Amino acid sequence: MTMPKGTLFIVSGPSGSGKDTVLGRLLAAHPEIQLSISSITRPMRQGEVEGEKYHFITREAFEQMLRENALLESNVYLGNYYGTPRAPVEAAIAAGRDMILEIDVNGAAKVRAQMPEAVSIFIMPPSLEVLEQRLSGRGTEDAETVRGRLKEAVGEIARAADYDYIVVNDDLDEAVESLTAVIVGQRAKIARQKYLIDEVLQDVKSRNW
Ligand code: 5GP
């Protein structure tokens, strides 16, 4: 039997879109989907665990990976390197497992250029007003910091049209449902299931009807 390949999903969304919460719910319900663990050089924040969402590595180690072409894509964000290790992505896809890259809009463009078959999804806040509320609702930041984040988020939203799908995160349950529908729908695509058709036809042939 020819195994179908896994699909590479790219998920992006600005700070305040609730992307982490939506993704967390999807992955809890679908443990068969693998999340890519990015290698990054920013310091570990409180509560973060090595190897859970990120591998925390030195600049030297990151630059070594760049030289060895060991990263599928990389980006500099606020002075730190962020990159997607290439080998785990290739291994998952070849083994028929779906993989999700949670990366920013720049990284998404780089992956799309190399792997046009990747399916990209942008998690969108329902409105500017809600985004503003979510960003300022985090607590202690002053108005200027909130405005800075808001500008950053709007810059990302401007590139949402480059994605295959938009999931609006107004109601969390509905957003999780939409994202799940995109992934399940992709699995049913003919390009991925063609081997099943071939199998049936092969079976019919072997029966000499
Ligand atoms: P944070 O430092 O807040 O965890 O992440 C900052 C930004 O980097 C987020 O937009 C996140 O999606 C993005 N990011 C995380 N890992 C990667 C990666 O491997 N590549 C790229 N291009 N962006 C990443």
Side-chain angles (χ1 to χ4, degrees):
M1 181 175 100
T2 329
M3 271 275 293
K5 282 188 182 174
T7 301
L8 185 61
F9 293 96
I10 304 169
V11 178
S12 306
S15 164
S17 64
K19 171 187 59 174
D20 287 349
T21 314
V22 176
L23 263 181
R25 287 268 296 267
L26 171 88
L27 294 169
H30 288 272
E32 79 283 7
I33 301 172
Q34 212 175 314
L35 182 69
S36 161
I37 311 292
S38 298
S39 288
I40 71 170
T41 63
R42 87 154 156 69
M44 208 186 256
R45 292 186 193 131
Q46 205 168 10
E48 286 184 321
V49 178
E50 159 59 33
E52 201 172 83
K53 186 177 168 193
Y54 293 133
H55 291 301
F56 296 90
I57 65 172
T58 63
R59 288 188 86 84
E60 291 70 33
F62 196 98
E63 283 162 0
Q64 175 81 16
M65 289 180 87
L66 280 176
R67 280 195 298 274
E68 290 171 352
N69 196 26
L71 296 166
L72 181 61
E73 62 78 37
S74 68
N75 192 41
V76 177
Y77 181 84
L78 301 177
N80 294 302
Y81 283 125
Y82 290 74
T84 304
R86 184 190 297 278
V89 174
E90 290 179 350
I93 302 308
R97 287 194 302 274
D98 290 341
M99 187 156 215
I100 292 185
L101 309 184
E102 197 220 304
I103 59 179
D104 77 319
V105 289
N106 294 314
K110 290 175 196 163
V111 173
R112 246 185 244 116
Q114 294 176 72
M115 303 176 83
E117 69 281 12
V119 176
S120 58
I121 303 144
F122 192 88
I123 314 264
M124 182 94 167
S127 68
L128 193 61
E129 204 184 338
V130 170
L131 182 66
E132 199 167 11
Q133 275 167 14
R134 286 183 188 163
L135 290 178
S136 50
R138 283 188 177 175
T140 52
E141 287 92 351
D142 54 85
E144 198 170 326
T145 310
V146 172
R147 220 171 8 251
R149 286 216 182 121
L150 204 54
K151 268 176 101 171
E152 186 90 19
V154 170
E156 288 183 38
I157 290 170
R159 295 171 69 183
D162 296 341
Y163 285 69
D164 297 310
Y165 296 93
I166 301 278
V167 166
V168 179
N169 183 20
D170 185 359
D171 176 272
L172 178 62
D173 287 336
E174 282 176 24
V176 173
E177 202 177 311
S178 299
L179 180 60
T180 308
V182 168
I183 291 173
V184 172
Q186 185 63 30
R187 289 180 180 161
K189 273 199 149 178
I190 287 293
R192 200 168 141 165
Q193 298 299 346
K194 181 136 191 336
Y195 80 101
L196 283 176
I197 302 172
D198 292 343
E199 241 174 42
V200 171
L201 295 182
Q202 201 58 42
D203 201 9
V204 169
K205 227 176 177 177
S206 70
R207 291 186 195 187
N208 284 320
W209 283 349

